[in-house]
Amino acid sequence: MPALKEAARDAGNPERSEVRRMPALKGKAIVGQSGGPTAVINASMVGVAEEVKKHPEIQALYGTVHGVEGLMKEELIDLSAETAEALQLLKRTPSAALGSCRHKLKAEDYERILKILQAHNIRYFFYIGGNDSADTSRKIELAAKQAGYEMRVVGIPKTVDNDLAFTDHCPGYGSVARFNAIATRDAGRDTEAIGVVDNVKIIETMGRNTGWITASTALAKEAPDDAPHLIYLPERPLVVERFLADVKRVFDRLGYCVITVCEGLKDEKGETLVASQRAVDVDAFGHKQLGGVADFLCDQIATNLRVKARFDKPGTIQRMSMLAVSEVDLAEAYMAGRAAVRHAAEGVTGQMVTLVREPGPAYKCTTGLARLEDVANAEKPVPDEFINEEGNFVTEAYLEYARPLIGGPLPPYGRLTGKRVPERL
Amino acid sequence: MPALKEAARDAGNPERSEVRRMPALKGKAIVGQSGGPTAVINASMVGVAEEVKKHPEIQALYGTVHGVEGLMKEELIDLSAETAEALQLLKRTPSAALGSCRHKLKAEDYERILKILQAHNIRYFFYIGGNDSADTSRKIELAAKQAGYEMRVVGIPKTVDNDLAFTDHCPGYGSVARFNAIATRDAGRDTEAIGVVDNVKIIETMGRNTGWITASTALAKEAPDDAPHLIYLPERPLVVERFLADVKRVFDRLGYCVITVCEGLKDEKGETLVASQRAVDVDAFGHKQLGGVADFLCDQIATNLRVKARFDKPGTIQRMSMLAVSEVDLAEAYMAGRAAVRHAAEGVTGQMVTLVREPGPAYKCTTGLARLEDVANAEKPVPDEFINEEGNFVTEAYLEYARPLIGGPLPPYGRLTGKRVPERL
């Protein structure tokens, strides 16, 4: 994605010399976590906490409990009181230790938040999250500016969905990708062994609007006939007839088939393939809900191809698994947290830290900056060059993009050489 | 379970001195894998392969591809040709490297199988699996006996379901338990962080008839309010009204709730709570299938309690995860494979290796033997003393039983001490 990378770099390097001239701003800092927890969001928080200690003008670091929801209620904790050992352990603890939220603030909320920040002399605001969080941060910055209150607001990216623009990739993605690659390889080995009876396996991954997570299952494939055999992303409409023909082709050849699908698959009209009709979800009483995408597709396979199909839906397990953490992802999440503080100390505000992939044959990642406003209003789908023509797999270009992010090869598995014994009967 | 342990021990020690007197039986050995693959079934196969090398009267070890299904077709491979390095790697590779099956032999099949075994001068038959495999092995032994063909048949236990009688536990269980404990702890941390919006989480585990796997999620709990908050096993009927009252009680107190359920939950009539009505599953065309247990219960919660409920269904991932392998389980699976060969070399036949928990404060496991016929006809449910009175959790006795099996404590996670900042507004 050279275009995106350029953008990230342009946004990322406002003339450093200029921001360096900003005078040191004395006051406290606050950090919050927002959106779906991940394996590495705590690493970003620890990065903030450790970097803050290197900047004497930042007098203390507070944490806001459950993001802006706690901030509204002035539920703050003193992160400066945490020991270095506690922080080290938290760095490798999944979930959001501060508590998270998915709270959309109302216009009047910003006024109250600003009052609370002012009351505690908070001059540095760090918010770890996705584009909704970027939007919240941007509006908090705006409120401060309008009130003439000097405060530096820097966002830290976090989303397993990997759908933020202006950054090469997002902290959280490498680990969810590693988990799903391993889970798909395991499901593949399983189906290979027992596919004689359990013929088709579907793995439903997260990813409401974009297929980045589903795409990562391709990293399971070590040999041409390995799982996954088919991958479906929401960037392409799912046509059931074509899907069934794809499955039949693989099944007829191998005797089994492993498919990975995104929970957010869309049909030809762009509608979610299987919309929840649950009372609480649609805010109206109703009908028995239909189950998920994988369930629906298993049913299609069973009914139309008359072969057994089962699904795995790792759900939140995939984004929380510290067992499958990508060490690259963990290190970058931590780096992003530290970079946010460093930039803010230098005078940066209204920006989100980005991850920048350096050119060259070896993978190297540094940080840049992008405007919170730009990040808030963009969503990055899996680009065309990462999806094959048939819309049922990813391309080599995607694999090249994703491979370094999962932190090294998958743990090695063996195979029998399987020297055949000559028949005697 | 002292009663079971006694039984295992009685069955396990037929007068050793007597079997030792059997003359060495020259010939080849064969090993097969059957039923659902696990993280450690290859370790048992490697145990067989390595022990065979110590017995010169066993001239070679063959593997049967896809269990008895391959045996019927004389699809055999030469395991003696595998290198020591290849076996070492396979020991830590999940799934069934030989291929597995769920094949019920017909009466006439045994005759053909016997002919094939005789043609290759196979005198040792090892079959790794659950009670169906014990039944198959028993019948193969009977066929050999009736034909006056001397062959020693020894079963090796394998099932994540942990439902075999006459053995303290089953290879495969410790690892699926470790996976589910970690996954449930992760889901708990996730729900704790984001439960303000994603209120209820249900994890659906495997276990068609028994609740052993679901029970193991209790090992996630490190503090009283940790997940799981409720556990439902098929050993107790699920009464939806009571279930909803349980969930409401937890939710009202904590603001979120993590529940683990078995895929095979039954209603008060003993019927599967959510039976599949899929064409291919019920062998008749029909209706949209209903989804699984967790899906159904999420819907009940959403509709009746009007709170959001989501489910994770790790499916085959749970039984295949080498990331969460229990080192105790792996070592015991290997030990069971070796013990089978040792016993057969001594003259044992018609028996399955069992795992025997030695008395004493420290966990120690040895092997014993149980008659294949007895194993084939029994299923071990979770006993009453392992389930609480309300039928919505396990007891301390279960935790004591299960804790040593998962191979040490879960990886340590941190928590913020969370020193509260005094309010200023």
Side-chain angles (χ1 to χ4, degrees), chain B residues 1 20 23 27-28 35 63-64 77 88 168 182 206 217 248 273 299 306 315 318 332 360 376 380 383 409 411:
Chain B
M1 285 178 307
R20 280 244 168 83
K28 301 196 189 81
T64 172
I77 62 168
Q88 277 312 300
D168 179 77
I182 292 174
M206 288 186 157
T217 61
K248 190 174 183 319
L273 199 65
D299 190 55
R306 307 198 68 175
Q318 70 196 282
E332 290 174 354
K380 184 173 77 178

Side-chain angles (χ1 to χ4, degrees), chain A residues 74 82 289 295 417 424, chain B residues 74 82 289 295 311 417 424:
Chain A
E74 209 183 343
E82 300 292 331
Q289 56 91 34
D295 207 2
T417 49
R424 297 211 171 180
Chain B
E74 209 183 342
E82 300 292 329
Q289 56 90 34
D295 207 4
F311 73 94
T417 49
R424 298 211 170 179

Side-chain angles (χ1 to χ4, degrees), chain A residues 239-412:
Chain A
V239 184
V240 174
E241 293 69 34
R242 215 186 300 154
F243 166 81
L244 290 171
D246 287 349
V247 176
K248 188 171 183 319
R249 203 177 325 109
V250 175
F251 179 73
D252 285 348
R253 192 167 60 82
L254 296 178
Y256 54 86
C257 182
V258 176
I259 306 157
T260 61
V261 301
C262 178
E263 61 176 353
L265 284 184
K266 310 270 191 295
D267 64 18
E268 287 158 288
K269 291 175 206 143
E271 305 278 321
T272 302
L273 199 66
V274 180
S276 169
Q277 296 184 14
R278 230 173 240 161
V280 75
D281 294 337
V282 296
D283 222 17
F285 282 98
H287 330 286
K288 173 82 186 74
Q289 56 91 34
L290 293 172
V293 164
D295 207 2
F296 169 75
L297 293 174
C298 280
D299 190 54
Q300 290 293 321
I301 291 168
T303 307
N304 295 296
L305 303 183
R306 306 198 69 173
V307 294
K308 273 194 189 173
R310 297 272 178 274
F311 73 94
D312 294 347
K313 182 175 171 276
T316 49
I317 297 167
Q318 70 197 280
R319 70 169 188 230
M320 289 285 291
S321 179
M322 190 50 68
L323 295 176
V325 76
S326 155
E327 291 296 333
V328 165
D329 185 32
L330 190 79
E332 289 174 355
Y334 174 77
M335 173 173 79
R338 293 194 58 166
V341 177
R342 220 169 44 239
H343 284 302
E346 287 169 5
V348 167
T349 186
Q351 307 269 329
M352 183 191 78
V353 171
T354 59
L355 296 178
V356 179
R357 188 188 299 236
E358 294 299 327
Y363 175 76
K364 189 168 177 260
C365 180
T366 56
T367 62
L369 290 167
R371 295 203 315 152
L372 284 171
E373 195 176 343
D374 296 337
V375 173
N377 294 314
E379 188 181 59
K380 185 174 75 177
V382 178
D384 289 345
E385 69 259 36
F386 284 180
I387 308 172
N388 75 353
E389 213 172 308
E390 298 81 8
N392 61 14
F393 213 79
V394 296
T395 60
E396 186 55 37
Y398 167 76
L399 293 169
E400 276 170 31
Y401 162 83
R403 210 171 271 124
L405 310 182
I406 64 166
L410 306 188

